[in-house]
Amino acid sequence: MKDKKRHEHWMSKAISIGKEALEMGEFPVGCILVSRDEVVGVGKRENSNGKFQNELDHAEIVALRDWVKRGKPGKDVVCYTTLEPCLMCIGALVISGIKEIVFSYEDIMGGAANIFLKRDSQKGLAELYETANIEIIKGVLRKNALSLFKKFFKSPSNEYLKDTLLARYTLSQD
């Protein structure tokens, strides 16, 4: 499978997981970890709403936990996620040895991919981040993911990230 088709194939799976999260009233982030065309970890955003609301159960962290429970199978694991990972998630992915991160929709409020995309200008980063050799691919099936985030932010029952820069930006996108 060529890279573009491969990335679109796996991103469509992550978007399906994001749809599941949305149907459960959660922020629609879906994530899968793939090794040589085999899913080795799956996660969706948890606890973005409700009694146990927190900022720890991001889809990437849930997928990494799943990968660890499976015994960390595979080599050259690629992370596919519907939203640009935040600093916590990107740090966890890097420390876990993930070398390629593919995301659909940019998080202009909390996304951390620019740490790697602008490597030349980032002199204050720790050696781990400077030598990680992470490949970041952005915008894969962006419109598909955007539609999920628009649905989420348009929902009157949503309180998570309501009236934030990300919500306003998302609702202004075509």
Side-chain angles (χ1 to χ4, degrees):
M1 217 183 301
K2 291 187 178 181
D3 276 354
K4 181 179 179 188
K5 288 201 178 275
R6 178 174 50 96
H7 291 324
E8 287 177 350
H9 169 78
W10 291 114
M11 187 58 72
S12 70
K13 306 289 185 194
I15 289 170
S16 292
I17 295 165
K19 284 180 187 174
E20 291 174 17
L22 181 64
E23 289 167 2
M24 298 170 67
E26 298 288 353
F27 196 48
V29 183
C31 178
I32 60 170
L33 303 177
V34 177
S35 174
R36 299 182 181 172
D37 291 327
E38 181 180 335
V39 175
V40 295
V42 177
K44 61 179 157 266
R45 181 64 163 95
E46 297 175 1
N47 298 309
S48 59
N49 280 312
K51 184 177 178 182
F52 300 106
Q53 185 175 356
N54 68 69
E55 286 302 328
L56 299 173
D57 297 325
H58 289 198
E60 299 89 344
I61 300 299
V62 174
L64 285 169
R65 285 183 189 139
D66 184 41
W67 182 53
V68 169
K69 284 180 189 173
R70 296 178 191 212
K72 290 185 170 181
K75 293 187 182 231
D76 303 319
V77 176
V78 180
C79 172
Y80 291 90
T81 184
T82 58
L83 185 67
E84 177 181 355
C86 69
L87 188 57
M88 172 183 73
C89 293
I90 221 162
L93 290 164
V94 169
I95 291 167
S96 297
I98 308 302
K99 298 287 187 188
E100 187 173 3
I101 299 169
V102 182
F103 67 88
S104 276
Y105 185 60
E106 66 276 8
D107 181 350
I108 65 153
M109 191 171 80
N114 281 333
I115 287 174
F116 297 103
L117 295 175
K118 295 181 180 176
R119 190 173 315 191
D120 295 343
S121 65
Q122 301 294 325
K123 298 298 181 194
L125 297 175
E127 184 177 338
L128 169 68
Y129 296 104
E130 289 177 349
T131 61
N133 293 322
I134 301 297
E135 183 175 359
I136 306 280
I137 298 167
K138 60 183 181 173
V140 175
L141 299 180
R142 182 185 183 274
K143 286 186 178 186
N144 302 56
L146 173 60
S147 71
L148 292 179
F149 292 105
K150 279 186 158 190
K151 284 179 189 173
F152 181 80
F153 287 125
K154 286 179 180 178
S155 171
S157 63
N158 166 49
E159 290 297 319
Y160 183 69
L161 298 177
K162 186 177 184 177
D163 298 324
T164 63
L165 175 61
L166 181 60
R168 290 188 302 276
Y169 175 79
T170 299
L171 292 172
S172 74
Q173 296 297 297
D174 292 326

